[in-house]
Amino acid sequence: MREPTRTLAAMVAEHVELALFEQSLGNIEGLNRPFGDRVADAAEKTGGSVLFDVRVDGDSCVQRMAAIGYGVTGTAIIVMGKNGQLGCASVSGDTALLVAALAAWNASPLSEQARVDHSATASILLARLRSSGHFARF
């Protein structure tokens, strides 16, 4: 029986997970590096770029969420649970607009970021990812 073909976006997410796993093995004396540093390192190691890194306020399980973009190949979303555990998933078409909105917010000047609340967009993105079967354990 032939193995089902994995999508390019799913393979990207797997590469990001591997980069994050390698980082966890390299933690010195059990100390984790900051989430943003880990995401940036994973993006560099996998040939992507960080689109956003935001706090997720009001969620009982997730405290941070970031996206790494790979051009036409796809986007990987990384979440950090309240317990420090990381998870990764590829983004599907129905969440692309939310990712783009958060990326635009992240690229805006700090004065604009302070005026525009991104938390609703981040919460909706996380809810859509969960409804599609991602991050259920968080």
Side-chain angles (χ1 to χ4, degrees):
M1 180 177 242
R2 192 170 162 214
E3 182 180 330
T5 306
R6 294 179 298 161
T7 66
L8 206 47
M11 290 189 295
V12 164
E14 290 171 8
H15 288 293
V16 171
E17 275 187 321
L18 182 58
L20 293 169
F21 177 70
E22 288 173 355
Q23 288 176 4
S24 68
L25 295 177
N27 286 336
I28 300 170
E29 297 176 17
L31 299 175
N32 287 324
R33 292 172 43 211
F35 179 72
D37 291 351
R38 296 175 74 185
V39 169
D41 185 53
E44 183 180 324
K45 286 180 178 177
T46 59
S49 60
V50 178
L51 301 177
F52 66 81
D53 174 3
V54 298
R55 293 185 89 43
V56 180
D57 296 324
D59 191 89
S60 63
C61 300
V62 172
Q63 63 177 319
R64 298 286 295 258
M65 179 169 43
I68 300 175
Y70 297 93
V72 297
T73 306
T75 303
I77 299 289
I78 302 156
V79 299
M80 180 173 74
K82 302 263 184 195
N83 61 1
Q85 182 180 5
L86 300 179
C88 184
S90 59
V91 173
S92 62
D94 66 334
T95 56
L97 290 176
L98 296 167
V99 170
L102 288 169
W105 175 85
N106 189 68
S108 66
L110 288 176
S111 60
E112 188 175 329
Q113 286 182 10
R115 285 192 316 266
V116 177
D117 184 16
H118 71 281
S119 60
T121 306
S123 294
I124 293 167
L125 175 59
L126 183 57
R128 286 203 183 155
L129 290 166
R130 283 180 171 147
S131 70
S132 65
H134 301 291
F135 309 125
R137 64 181 181 199
F138 286 92

